[in-house]
């Protein structure tokens, strides 16, 4: 029997999608071992969240009414207190930016082995986790050599739970040690948009690190012009200052859903794909036939962008 | 003030590669300083340069002797000295888990007694993304993960940071010092090492430390995680591929694009 404690996430008044995926992952993990799936909701409008999370497979929801927004110090203390109270076998959290901000501290404090960014979980007399390495070039399985563990799951890998259920909802209180709350969230800011809104574009020509040099950006600009498309990019191009931040597609950039997304010299890292997988048609141009971008592409060209792009421009100019 | 920066030499896998047991065969690996650490190093060096006080920047790595060449690049960019933790007990370990890294780095923190620790958000090889925050918890520092702007107020005892959340939203947070901050790419513009920097780096210290030097024994590097399999993922691609030379590929793609109304003025 394995009990699971899954910790949901919310921001600015809404539950994050990963919360519902954690329910699915947690329910799978509990599986037929006869254990219980507990959810923890820390902060925000906990009663409204608990109602939304009353889903099949969930046995109990523990609400911790402490603060409006995520604060890692509060989350760590709350999850640790719940862990002591519930004694679960596994603690599941989201592999999100906030997950990265508290999950490792939860594991350290509770002396639990930690496996992050799981894309597969199996409870087979012990926990076996599938995860990626080397920028998704290889996959690995990791066995947890301990009775208990903390795991963060990759967003988007499990289906969101939808079927309603009737879990018990219980308010959980613990003594928050205020002296250990040593960080304060003072606000949020949207990253500004410049004069171009890539989320509005029908066709995006998107450039990645395969372009190598700043002066080569001109080449993809010409293609975008020839196609009547808008230019966007992966993160490294923006990090290098070659294009402004509002051109960045991905987890920490914009989420785009154009009719055509033409990815040029982009490998297809999970954080990039999060921003463009909803495009109607995806074209990938990449020298590496195993680049993960081809997994989600509708049209592929395995080739050197410096050969293919000029030919493509010629077709349209 | 002293800033400790954790750095890691990571391997990038070449386009075509073969596996050798639980590893990618050595000849397909290219070693470099972890991308995120480049930004952490730059941030530390900039803080030192902009401060009126004396700020020492120390890099710490867990890595074999081979990694010294890479670590020296950080020294060439302005890091004052480095500490390299390695031990026979670490040879042949396939996966050093977060707990083990935390134990090693905690011992170094105890030794060095820094005021601020900067790490990268993640290392691009095993991508656990957890060492910085785990370390903070172990040494009793405050922390912030995925920082893309940092304004340090050492006198006031706080760091004002921006954390880069999903969807183009940034969180503004005040973090009490001492703290561990995990640094996101793009926070600054990492410099190129100057020739002078490279020359100076040759005489900067990279101090090797074994487990016993840190008051630890082999138990400290026992991992709770066991790597049991490594494989190339099956491609899930059902893309239509355009074959031929670049001209033929481009022509075929152009046909599809035109059919779907792209680029047809
Ligand atoms: C918290 C966090 C948030 C992140 N947010 C984002 C985000 O919002 N957006 C984002 O994009 N990334 C994001 N990243 C970074 C992400 O993990 C990857 O590092 C990044 O997406 C890689 O960009 P890339 O594909 O351009 O570069 P690489 O991964 O380096 O890929 C370059 C590709 O170009 C190909 N190539 C090289 N030369 C050529 C050539 N001549 N012709 C054709 N192809 C060639 C290569 O085969 C390779 O596939 C984030 C990471 C973290 C940790």
């Amino acid at each position: 029997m394995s009990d699971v404690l899954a910790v949901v996430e919310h921001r600015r008044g809404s539950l994050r999608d990963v919360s519902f995926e954690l329910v699915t992952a947690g329910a799978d993990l509990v599986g037929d071992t006869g254990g219980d799936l507990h959810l923890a909701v820390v902060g925000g409008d906990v009663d409204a969240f608990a109602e939304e999370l009353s889903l099949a497979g969930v046995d109990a929801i523990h609400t911790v009414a402490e603060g409006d927004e995520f604060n890692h110090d509060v989350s760590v203390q709350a999850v640790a207190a719940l862990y002591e109270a519930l004694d679960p076998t596994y603690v599941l959290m989201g592999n999100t930016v906030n997950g990265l901000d508290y999950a490792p501290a939860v594991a350290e404090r509770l002396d639990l082995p930690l496996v992050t960014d799981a894309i597969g979980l199996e409870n087979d007399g012990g926990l076996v986790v599938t995860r990626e390495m080397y920028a998704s070039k290889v996959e690995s399985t990791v066995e947890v050599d301990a009775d208990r563990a903390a795991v963060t799951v990759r967003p988007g890998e499990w289906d969101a739970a939808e079927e309603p259920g009737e879990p018990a909802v219980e308010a959980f209180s613990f003594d928050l040690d205020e002296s250990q709350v040593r960080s304060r969230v003072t606000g949020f800011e949207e990253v500004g948009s410049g004069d171009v809104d890539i989320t509005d574009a029908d066709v995006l020509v998107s450039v990645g690190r395969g372009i190598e040099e700043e002066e080569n950006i001109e080449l993809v600009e010409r293609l975008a012009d020839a196609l009547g498309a808008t230019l966007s990019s992966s993160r490294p191009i923006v990090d290098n200052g070659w294009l402004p931040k509002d051109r960045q597609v991905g987890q920490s950039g914009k989420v785009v859903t154009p009719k055509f997304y033409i990815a040029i010299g982009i490998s297809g890292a999970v954080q990039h794909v999060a921003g463009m997988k909803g495009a109607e048609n995806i074209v990938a141009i990449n020298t590496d036939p195993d680049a993960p971008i081809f997994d989600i592409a509708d049209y592929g060209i395995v080739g050197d962008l410096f050969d293919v792009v000029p030919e493509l421009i010629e077709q349209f100019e | 003030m002293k800033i400790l920066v954790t750095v890691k030499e990571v391997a990038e896998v070449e386009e075509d590669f073969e596996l050798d047991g639980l590893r990618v065969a050595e000849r397909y690996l290219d070693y470099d300083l972890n991308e995120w650490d480049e930004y952490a190093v730059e941030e530390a060096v900039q803080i030192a340069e902009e401060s009126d006080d004396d700020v020492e920047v120390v890099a710490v790595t867990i890595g074999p002797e081979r990694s010294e060449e890479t670590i020296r690049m950080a020294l060439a960019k302005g890091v004052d000295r480095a500490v390299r933790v390695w031990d026979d007990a670490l040879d042949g370990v396939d996966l050093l888990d977060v707990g083990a890294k935390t134990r090693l780095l905690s011992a170094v923190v105890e030794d060095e007694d820094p005021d601020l620790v900067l790490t990268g958000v993640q290392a691009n090889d095993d991508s656990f993304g957890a060492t910085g925050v785990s370390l903070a918890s172990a040494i009793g520092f405050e922390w912030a993960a995925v920082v893309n702007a940092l304004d340090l107020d050492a006198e006031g005892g706080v760091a004002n940071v921006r954390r880069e959340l999903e969807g183009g939203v940034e969180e503004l947070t005040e973090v009490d010092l001492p703290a561990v901050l995990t640094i996101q790419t793009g926070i600054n513009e990492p410099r190129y090492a100057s020739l002078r920097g490279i020359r100076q780096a040759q005489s900067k210290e990279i101090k090797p430390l074994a487990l016993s030097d840190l008051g630890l024994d082999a138990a400290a590097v026992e991992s709770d995680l066991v790597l049991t399999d490594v494989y190339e993922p099956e491609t899930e691609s059902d893309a239509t591929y355009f074959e031929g030379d670049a001209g033929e590929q481009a022509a075929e793609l152009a046909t599809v694009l035109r059919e779907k109304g792209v680029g047809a003025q």
Side-chain angles (χ1 to χ4, degrees):
Chain A
M1 206 178 77
S2 315
D3 290 348
V4 171
L5 172 64
V7 188
V8 304
E9 280 189 35
H10 59 89
R11 188 193 303 159
R12 299 161 99 188
S14 313
L15 284 168
R16 314 264 317 148
D17 293 347
V18 73
S19 304
F20 301 92
E21 298 160 15
L22 280 161
V23 171
T24 306
D28 284 356
L29 198 51
V30 169
D32 35 32
T33 69
D36 288 337
L37 172 60
H38 299 267
L39 298 188
V41 189
V42 183
D45 189 348
V46 292
D47 295 327
F49 292 157
E51 212 176 293
E52 258 187 90
L53 290 162
S54 291
L55 297 161
V58 181
D59 295 290
I61 303 177
H62 306 271
T63 59
V64 182
E66 196 73 64
D68 294 330
E69 290 296 340
F70 170 78
N71 174 291
H72 63 232
D73 296 311
V74 174
S75 284
V76 171
Q77 289 190 43
V79 175
L82 272 167
Y83 181 86
E84 305 291 337
L86 300 169
D87 199 29
T89 310
Y90 301 120
V91 182
L92 290 191
M93 295 163 277
N95 200 71
T96 57
V97 173
N98 281 347
L100 292 179
D101 198 42
Y102 81 99
V106 167
E108 197 283 329
R109 175 184 288 226
L110 298 174
D111 205 12
L112 292 173
L114 172 66
V115 191
T116 61
D117 208 15
I119 59 172
L121 289 174
E122 214 170 313
N123 189 1
D124 181 19
L127 187 62
V128 181
V129 185
T130 308
R131 59 191 311 282
E132 295 181 337
M133 298 198 308
Y134 296 115
S136 309
K137 289 216 139 199
V138 299
E139 244 167 63
S140 65
T141 51
V142 172
E143 251 175 61
V144 178
D145 186 18
D147 296 334
R148 289 154 197 266
V151 178
T152 67
V153 304
R154 176 177 291 185
E157 285 293 323
W158 277 265
D159 291 334
E162 287 172 354
E163 199 187 320
E166 283 178 5
V169 178
E170 289 159 23
F172 179 80
S173 58
F174 70 104
D175 287 324
L176 180 71
D177 180 354
E178 298 274 0
S179 75
Q180 293 304 304
V181 180
R182 298 170 301 178
S183 68
R184 295 153 297 277
V185 176
T186 59
F188 294 94
E189 241 174 61
E190 313 279 338
V191 178
S193 278
D195 43 356
V196 178
D197 186 356
I198 59 170
T199 65
D200 249 5
D202 267 350
V203 183
L204 285 171
V205 167
S206 208
V207 58
R209 183 143 49 193
I211 199 73
E212 283 171 17
E213 306 277 343
E214 182 169 16
E215 66 222 35
N216 298 335
I217 296 283
E218 198 212 318
L219 181 67
V220 283
E221 252 164 12
R222 274 177 50 211
L223 178 62
D225 284 347
L227 292 174
T230 303
L231 190 62
S232 60
S233 79
S234 68
R235 179 177 190 115
I237 303 300
V238 171
D239 284 344
N240 289 343
W242 299 349
L243 285 175
K245 178 88 190 170
D246 56 18
R247 303 282 182 135
Q248 183 181 318
V249 173
Q251 172 188 304
S252 46
K254 298 263 157 78
V255 174
V256 297
T257 52
K259 208 169 147 215
F260 263 93
Y261 187 87
I262 306 174
I264 302 174
I266 293 177
S267 62
V270 55
Q271 295 94 348
H272 185 79
V273 169
M276 44 68 75
K277 60 172 184 253
E280 220 173 290
N281 294 285
I282 296 169
V283 182
I285 302 173
N286 198 306
T287 43
D288 179 1
D290 296 321
I293 190 77
F294 287 118
D295 287 349
I296 57 158
D298 302 289
Y299 302 100
I301 290 180
V302 177
D304 190 323
L305 75 91
F306 296 106
D307 298 330
V308 176
V309 174
E311 294 283 353
L312 204 51
I313 293 170
E314 207 163 286
Q315 290 281 337
F316 286 94
E317 262 181 354
Chain B
M1 186 165 88
K2 189 193 277 189
I3 305 176
L4 190 68
V5 191
T6 63
V7 294
K8 185 179 187 188
E9 183 188 65
V10 295
E12 204 178 305
V13 178
E14 287 176 6
E15 231 168 71
D16 293 312
F17 62 93
E18 282 165 35
L19 293 166
D20 177 11
L22 292 175
R23 294 174 177 220
V24 174
E26 190 64 35
R27 60 185 180 281
Y28 302 107
L29 298 177
D30 300 316
Y31 290 94
D32 204 349
L33 186 59
N34 177 41
E35 186 180 353
W36 279 264
D37 300 345
E38 297 257 12
Y39 291 88
V41 164
E42 178 65 30
E43 199 62 21
V45 170
Q46 284 189 15
I47 291 169
E49 285 171 348
E50 284 157 23
S51 170
D52 299 329
D53 300 327
D54 240 5
V55 177
E56 187 183 31
V57 180
V58 181
V60 55
T61 192
I62 303 170
E65 196 169 350
R66 184 203 59 226
S67 65
E68 289 205 355
E69 204 182 316
T70 299
I71 304 315
R72 220 168 271 291
M73 287 313 291
L75 296 174
K77 293 177 184 188
V79 169
D80 295 302
R81 61 186 173 82
V83 172
R84 182 176 65 81
V85 178
W86 197 248
D87 199 278
D88 289 346
L90 283 159
D91 268 332
V93 174
D94 291 316
L95 177 64
L96 196 61
D97 76 350
V98 177
K101 286 178 202 160
T102 301
R103 288 187 287 277
L104 295 178
L105 293 173
S106 297
V108 173
V109 166
E110 200 166 303
D111 247 19
E112 292 284 347
D113 195 23
D115 304 281
L116 179 68
V117 179
L118 301 184
T119 75
V121 165
Q122 62 171 28
N124 216 14
D125 45 7
D126 54 18
S127 301
F128 269 78
T131 302
V133 171
S134 175
L135 174 65
S137 173
I139 61 179
F141 278 29
E142 185 54 27
W143 71 87
V146 194
V147 169
N148 73 346
L150 164 59
D151 178 16
L152 194 66
D153 175 6
E155 245 161 65
V158 294
N160 292 294
V161 305
R162 282 170 183 261
R163 294 185 52 237
E164 189 190 72
L165 305 180
E166 293 87 354
V169 177
E170 296 183 344
E171 178 200 277
L172 283 59
T173 303
E174 247 174 48
V175 182
D176 291 348
L177 297 176
V180 178
L181 306 177
T182 81
I183 300 296
Q184 175 63 315
T185 58
I187 188 174
N188 52 40
E189 259 183 73
R191 71 195 63 192
Y192 291 98
S194 65
L195 279 176
R196 188 161 154 264
I198 293 170
R199 223 177 306 120
Q200 283 174 341
Q202 295 308 319
S203 54
K204 287 182 180 174
E205 182 191 26
I206 301 179
K207 184 162 89 182
L209 290 177
L211 291 180
S212 58
D213 299 317
L214 291 165
L216 300 170
D217 57 32
V221 296
E222 266 168 31
S223 181
D224 285 323
L225 305 185
V226 186
L227 196 62
T228 51
D229 198 8
V230 171
Y231 52 94
E232 277 190 72
E234 300 251 325
T235 174
E236 293 157 19
S237 177
D238 53 7
T240 304
Y241 285 91
F242 303 124
E243 316 281 348
D245 65 25
E248 290 159 354
Q249 290 174 315
E252 285 189 51
L253 175 57
T255 307
V256 170
L257 290 172
R258 282 203 197 90
E259 266 169 22
K260 307 237 177 188
V262 179
Q265 271 84 6

